[in-house]
């Protein structure tokens, strides 16, 4: 009775607090659809349009930017932002829904990278304070109105204790996940790995560099609460202890209380969730919230003894935390299989990873024949959900798939030999990519597209946009966070990409690679007939296309996967069409597609 008495009093207290301040529940408890729209920042899309009507371009730009931060795949909004930069002059884009603790953390890391250690400390300490405040809010919000799957209130028939336990476990799972929520940027699914411990990791070295060894040891010990076996930080902590010997007892320096409290609570939550899973029939798997895969990418590890310290300070010895490892061994330089294909540049010469540039993949005659196919089968907006200008309003996009070309050939609407050529050269490209990158498993087609982009007359003056904005092919590029999030709506199953160019008689349209910032160009390639650029599809290869300002630029775009589950369905159907044609003795195209012997 005392327990339920306290529950009833608390419920009455909350109800008495809500109604006078917020009004009736119908006024402040939004429907699920509304909550989902706010989570996706849909109101900012409307706000942008409203501000345009009022000619408030700076406010419109900020609304568009705020929406775009949560919807990075929205190309039209991205184009709107570029237009604001042109029409409104210099605009400082502000994310009006930014999480302050996340902004402070990013600022702290930027100052740390510039070796501005006192500024880094100021921002990172503020980020920690904001993090723990947001954590408290997140915990409370989990106790608010919830609608749990399969637990409709009126239909629920469980007994008293099962009902309480069932509801509480849902609330507890929500609270337990606050760690992930606070580490996830707006519009993202994946959190920044190892987010909270990283604050202490950066701080322990920053404090060392400003000469505050007590704080350095305190932060190192706080980090070790999460990762007690981290050899680099253990060495650093030992070094800080050596520095403090003779001035104070290093053992009196303890980890930070708030880190200890949060970790203790988190472990207890995990224990209760696992108990519930065993006793009440829940399915629960504990995620790895403190994955050390995410960590400082620097060399700021101090030596474990003073004797190894040079005159001007500590030796920066151990490479601390490598960049994320790819899920397969990366190789390149395998045979090109065809004697007429000419090697031009490798990854090193293209200033990147898993890149290759080749010439003479197809001949001038084959380029002309493909152009004939293109003019006969392409439709405006094909491959872009019918949008004729999906990436920029200044160009028209047209495309066609292999299956469509073969069907048109079979029906006599285009020469069958030309349609067959499209099929054959895409297979030739696949074989080259598979061989050059020395893949140990079969490379499958994920999508094959013959695409042309045409500059629209009268719309090229003072143009400063791109034909295709900077992106990566299997993840969502986040230049501000220097991350590429491998999550939907990105085509996460893509592993390699290739572009086979058909012509050079146009202006602009250079293919470019950039750094993760989507600004720093690392390589620029001018298309021409028979030239092919191929590369791995991940965040290591952000790329785009400069504006086509005159003429038409055509290419065969190819995306590949190593996972047979994601094979291109149209390609499988095209294979069946080819088999049928061969049975009818129509034969292959005149192109020689048999690889020559080992080079």
């Amino acid at each position: 009775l005392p327990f339920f008495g306290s529950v009833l009093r608390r419920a009455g207290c909350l109800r008495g607090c809500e109604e006078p301040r917020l009004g009736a529940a119908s006024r402040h408890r939004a429907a699920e659809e509304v909550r989902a729209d706010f989570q996706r920042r849909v109101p900012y899309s409307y706000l942008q349009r409203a501000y345009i009507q009022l000619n408030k371009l700076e406010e419109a730009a900020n609304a568009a930017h705020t929406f775009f931060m949560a919807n990075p795949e929205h190309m039209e909004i991205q184009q709107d932002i570029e237009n604001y930069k042109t029409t409104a002059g210099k605009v400082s884009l502000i994310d009006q829904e930014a999480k302050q603790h996340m902004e402070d953390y990013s600022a702290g890391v930027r100052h740390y990278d510039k070796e501005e250690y006192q500024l880094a400390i100021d921002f990172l300490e503020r980020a920690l304070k904001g993090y723990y405040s947001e954590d408290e809010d997140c915990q409370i919000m989990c106790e608010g109105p919830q609608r749990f799957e399969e637990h409709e209130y009126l239909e629920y028939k469980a007994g008293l204790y099962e009902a309480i336990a069932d509801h509480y476990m849902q609330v507890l799972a929500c609270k337990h996940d606050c760690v992930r929520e606070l580490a996830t940027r707006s519009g993202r699914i994946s959190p920044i790995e190892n987010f909270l411990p990283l604050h202490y990791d950066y701080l322990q070295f920053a404090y060392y560099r400003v000469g505050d060894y007590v704080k350095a040891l305190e932060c190192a010990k706080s980090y070790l609460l999460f990762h007690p076996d981290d050899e680099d930080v253990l060495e650093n902590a030992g070094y800080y202890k050596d520095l403090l010997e003779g001035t104070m007892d290093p053992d009196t320096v303890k980890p930070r209380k708030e880190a200890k409290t949060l970790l203790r609570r988190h472990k207890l939550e995990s224990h209760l969730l696992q108990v519930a899973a065993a006793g009440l029939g829940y399915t629960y798997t504990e995620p790895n919230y403190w994955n050390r895969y995410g960590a400082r990418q620097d060399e700021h590890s101090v030596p474990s003894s003073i004797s190894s310290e040079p005159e001007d300070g500590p030796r920066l010895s151990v490479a601390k935390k490598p960049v994320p490892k790819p899920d397969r061994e990366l190789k390149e330089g395998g045979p090109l299989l065809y004697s007429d294909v000419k090697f031009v540049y490798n990854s090193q010469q293209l200033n990147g990873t898993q890149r290759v540039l080749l010439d003479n993949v197809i001949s001038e005659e084959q380029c002309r024949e493909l152009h004939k196919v293109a003019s006969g089968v392409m439709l405006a907006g094909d491959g872009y959900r019918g949008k004729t200008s999906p990436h920029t309003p200044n160009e028209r996009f047209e495309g066609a798939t292999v299956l469509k070309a073969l069907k048109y050939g079979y029906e006599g609407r285009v020469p069958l030999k030309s349609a067959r050529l499209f099929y054959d050269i895409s297979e030739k490209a696949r074989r080259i990519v598979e061989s050059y990158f020395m893949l140990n498993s079969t490379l499958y087609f994920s999508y094959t597209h013959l695409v042309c982009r045409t500059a629209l007359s009268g719309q090229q003056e003072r143009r400063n946009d791109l034909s295709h904005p900077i992106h990566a092919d299997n993840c969502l590029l986040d230049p501000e966070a220097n991350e590429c999030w491998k999550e939907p709506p990105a085509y996460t199953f893509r592993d390699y990409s290739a572009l086979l160019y058909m012509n050079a008689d146009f202006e602009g349209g250079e293919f470019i690679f950039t750094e993760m910032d989507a600004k720093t160009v690392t390589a620029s390639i001018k298309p021409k007939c028979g030239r092919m650029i191929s590369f791995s599809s991940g965040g290591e290869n952000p790329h785009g296309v400069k504006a086509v300002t005159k003429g038409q630029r055509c290419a065969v775009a190819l995306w590949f996967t190593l996972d047979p589950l994601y094979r291109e369905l149209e390609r499988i159907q095209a294979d069946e069409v080819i088999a049928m044609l061969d049975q009818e003795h129509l034969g292959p195209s005149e192109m020689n597609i048999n690889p020559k012997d080992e080079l």
Side-chain angles (χ1 to χ4, degrees), residues 327-474:
D327 53 8
R328 61 184 179 276
E329 186 182 357
L330 301 182
K331 297 178 183 177
E332 62 177 283
L336 298 177
L337 301 179
Y338 302 86
S339 58
D340 49 349
V341 175
K342 179 184 174 186
F343 169 82
V344 183
Y345 293 135
N346 61 16
S347 295
Q348 187 176 3
Q349 292 162 314
L350 290 168
N351 302 313
T353 303
Q354 293 278 276
R355 301 174 181 176
V356 65
L357 183 65
L358 306 171
D359 278 344
N360 300 338
V361 175
I362 56 175
S363 67
E364 292 280 352
E365 183 185 346
Q366 289 161 348
C367 285
R368 286 192 293 271
E369 200 166 340
L370 274 178
H371 251 299
K372 289 179 187 174
V373 177
S375 60
V377 302
M378 286 194 307
L379 283 178
D382 181 272
Y384 298 98
R385 297 175 186 169
K387 294 181 180 178
T388 56
S389 301
H391 304 309
T392 169
N394 303 308
E395 297 173 24
R396 185 179 74 253
F397 285 71
E398 300 164 288
T401 61
V402 167
L403 182 61
K404 183 181 176 183
L406 286 172
K407 283 183 175 179
Y408 273 41
Y410 191 70
E411 294 166 3
R413 296 162 74 175
V414 296
L416 183 56
K417 189 180 83 166
S418 303
R420 174 73 188 250
L421 176 66
F422 180 17
Y423 176 91
D424 289 340
I425 63 132
S426 56
E427 172 60 20
K428 180 179 183 181
R430 186 199 67 80
R431 292 178 64 91
I432 292 170
V433 173
E434 184 182 77
S435 176
Y436 179 81
F437 289 115
M438 305 170 74
L439 303 176
N440 294 325
S441 54
T442 303
L443 195 64
Y444 300 97
F445 288 99
S446 166
Y447 190 53
T448 313
H449 203 219
L450 178 59
V451 62
C452 293
R453 50 192 83 202
T454 308
L456 297 176
S457 59
Q459 293 184 211
Q460 304 305 317
E461 254 185 71
R462 297 182 182 177
R463 187 177 168 190
N464 66 349
D465 64 340
L466 294 175
S467 175
H468 199 143
I470 303 301
H471 63 286
D473 285 343
N474 72 6

Side-chain angles (χ1 to χ4, degrees), residues 53-82:
Q53 296 300 317
L54 296 172
N55 201 30
K56 294 184 176 181
L57 296 184
E58 190 165 346
E59 289 88 343
N62 287 335
H65 178 69
T66 303
F67 176 78
F68 183 68
M69 287 294 95
N71 301 274
E73 75 286 355
H74 203 290
M75 292 297 179
E76 289 174 21
I77 287 287
Q78 188 174 7
Q79 187 59 53
D80 288 342
I81 293 170
E82 292 302 320

Side-chain angles (χ1 to χ4, degrees), residues 58-59 61-63 65 85 88-96:
E58 190 165 346
E59 289 88 343
N62 287 335
H65 178 69
K85 289 177 182 176
K90 189 177 181 182
V91 289
S92 54
L93 297 173
I94 298 169
D95 180 0
Q96 294 171 318

Side-chain angles (χ1 to χ4, degrees), residues 180 317 448:
R180 182 185 296 277
S317 56
T448 313

